[in-house]
Every structure is written in structure tokens, then in C-alpha cells.
Amino acid sequence: MAEGNWTRVGEFILMSFSSLPTEIQSLLFLTFLIIYLVTLLGNSLIILVTLTDPMLHSPMYFFLRNLSFLEIGFNLVIVPKMLGTLLARDTTISFLGCAMQMYFFFFGVAECVLLATMAYDRYVAICNPLHYPVIMNQKTRAKLAVASWFPGFPIATVQTTWLFSFPFCGTNKVNHFFCDSPPVLRLVCADTAMFEIYAIVGTVLVVMIPCLLILCSYLRIAAAILKIPSAKGKHKAFSTCSSHLLVVSLFYVSLSLTYFRPKSNNSPESKKLLSLSYTVVTPMLNPIIYSLRNNEVKNALGRTFHKAFGLRICIP
């Protein structure tokens, strides 16, 4: 319904990968479907074994379980709609659906903070091993988990409510595969300067503060490892945090390239590819990294399969 030069938008159109040939879109559908199923299965297994296996009831696996919950949530918000646009060519998304998709992107904020919490956990385990059980007791780890989840809610509430209070005019085509803030903001026909400042400051704080905390934790960890006299001891200490370090690197590199590249080097197509890395690919890799690089998880998976199906599985 038109009001002057404004249009009250009832739905948006996700451009997704519509510029690609039909054959390529079908191939992408199969690829993303496999990745989606592997992500759900892998993270669900991590949650299952860390809940049921007594050997994995330490703080590290408690936080890993929270990470898997976040990864599942991340995928449920984005991937099903993306698969629908590729398979059924149903590119429309309601105004409310777009707002909800943007709001539930708080999973990404929570993941940034949770990764910093996991880095602190590794710092305490390596630098204060004798006091680790006391410092990271059940009450403390619960508080840290809540503190990791909480910041995303007010940030997502303010950003989504503010952005969708603007009037939209002209095209309703979102040049992305989900309702991310920058491509939706381009459809607004109003002065968005204050919102853009808020979004930039919020993104910098959400990404950089946890990143600095992770960096500080690992600098302290590296200093502690270097003081270990034996090579075997150094390797054992490093192995306890190598999986987390790899996950952090994958997540932050792709996230930083997506949101902190100069606009002149940030075409919509390149941003789609970079967004795929941290929204679709990284959630699939996380459980694989943690299982393949962690003997405790591999052994727990073997015990879980043995109890459930009577099968003895040896994961190399």
C-alpha cells in the first residue's frame, strides 16, 4: 500500500543465488543439504555424548555442548529457507519472517562471547591446573554460559526493532540468502546515519572485545607452555586448546572478512560467499574438528555407539 513516496512492505524477496544457472542452483542445493545434515548430526552427537558420558562432564565439554547448541540454532535460522529458495525457487519471505531471521542472528553474538569464554577456560586449565576444579566449578560455568548467551538478546532486539521501524520504498529485493542487516538497510528510504553508527559500533564491540579476550588468554597460555621443560608436556598442553584455536581462527577470519572489508572490495556476491563460510561451513567443521582432534571425544563416541547399538567402533 503506497503512502506518498513510501511503500508498506508486506514481504521481501531473497535474491540468494538466483543469478546462477538452474543446474548450478540444483548442485548447490545438494551440497548445502549434505552440509546441513552433517551439521545437525555432528553437533547433535556432540551434545549427546557430552551429556551422557561421565568422562565428558568437565567444564570444557560443558562449553562445547553450548557451542553445538548455538551452531544448530544458527543453521535452523538460515539454512532451511536457503534450501527452499534453491529447490522450490520460493524466494519470498514475509516482513515478520525477515525480522525474525535477523533477530535470531543473536546466535552469532552469543558464539563470539562463548568462544572467548572457552578460551578463558583453557587459560585456567593450563595456567592454574591445581585450582581449575575450584575456579571452574558448576556454578561458575553456569554463570559464564548465561553471560555468553545474554548479550545477544538486547543487541538483536534494538537492531531489529530499529531497522524494521524504518519505511521501505522501491524494490523489496534483498540481495542475500538471508535477512542480514546491511542488504536490508539498503532498501530503507530514510536517513539511517544514526543506525549505521550504532551498527558499526555494535559490530566492532561484539567482535573485537571477545577477540581481544581470546588473544590475551592465548598469550598467557603460550607463555605458560613455553615454561614447560619437556617437549611431551608442551605437546600435551597445546593439544588441549588446539581444536578451540582452530575453530576460533575459522570463525573470526570469515566473520572479519565479511563485516570489516572496505565497501569498495565488498561486492554482494563476495559477501555471500564469505557469509556461507561462517554461517554454513564452520558449524559443520566444528564437531569434526573437536572429534577428530580429541581422543576423549572419539572414545566417548565409541562408547555411545556401543551402548546404543552394540557396535564397537574405533575412530582413528
Side-chain angles (χ1 to χ4, degrees), residues 20-40:
L20 298 175
T22 303
E23 296 79 8
I24 300 298
Q25 291 189 54
S26 299
L27 181 61
L28 287 176
F29 170 79
L30 290 174
T31 302
F32 294 147
L33 177 62
I34 292 171
I35 292 175
Y36 180 58
L37 294 176
V38 171
T39 299
L40 295 183

Side-chain angles (χ1 to χ4, degrees), residues 139-307:
K139 187 176 181 179
T140 300
R141 73 182 78 159
K143 288 181 178 179
L144 287 171
V146 171
S148 298
W149 282 78
F150 177 75
F153 291 102
I155 292 173
T157 300
V158 172
Q159 177 170 300
T160 306
T161 304
W162 191 354
L163 178 53
F164 282 88
S165 68
F166 285 122
F168 294 89
C169 60
T171 180
N172 63 342
K173 295 180 179 180
V174 179
N175 195 5
H176 212 339
F177 58 85
F178 69 98
C179 285
D180 197 10
S181 176
V184 174
L185 188 64
R186 295 190 187 100
L187 309 182
V188 171
C189 49
D191 183 6
T192 60
M194 290 301 297
F195 177 86
E196 290 182 57
I197 293 172
Y198 165 81
I200 292 170
V201 172
T203 303
V204 170
L205 291 177
V206 164
V207 174
M208 297 308 298
I209 290 179
C211 187
L212 289 173
L213 291 174
I214 292 170
L215 182 61
C216 290
S217 295
Y218 274 105
L219 287 174
R220 298 291 296 273
I221 288 171
I225 290 176
L226 290 174
K227 293 178 182 178
I228 299 175
S230 68
K232 185 178 180 181
K234 289 179 181 178
H235 180 268
K236 184 178 179 180
F238 178 74
S239 65
T240 63
C241 56
S242 59
S243 296
H244 176 258
L245 190 57
L246 182 55
V247 167
V248 166
S249 300
L250 289 172
F251 181 77
Y252 271 99
V253 167
S254 57
L255 193 67
S256 299
L257 288 174
T258 301
Y259 290 103
F260 295 114
R261 292 173 68 197
K263 287 188 176 181
S264 58
N265 299 329
N266 202 8
S267 69
E269 298 307 317
S270 66
K271 186 171 182 179
K272 289 178 191 178
L273 292 175
L274 289 169
S275 297
L276 281 172
S277 61
Y278 76 89
T279 58
V280 179
V281 178
T282 301
M284 176 195 68
L285 293 177
N286 287 354
I288 296 174
I289 292 169
Y290 274 105
S291 60
L292 293 182
R293 297 178 63 87
N294 191 308
N295 289 327
E296 289 182 335
V297 174
K298 288 189 285 186
N299 293 334
L301 285 170
R303 290 191 294 269
T304 301
F305 277 106
H306 178 63
K307 290 178 181 178

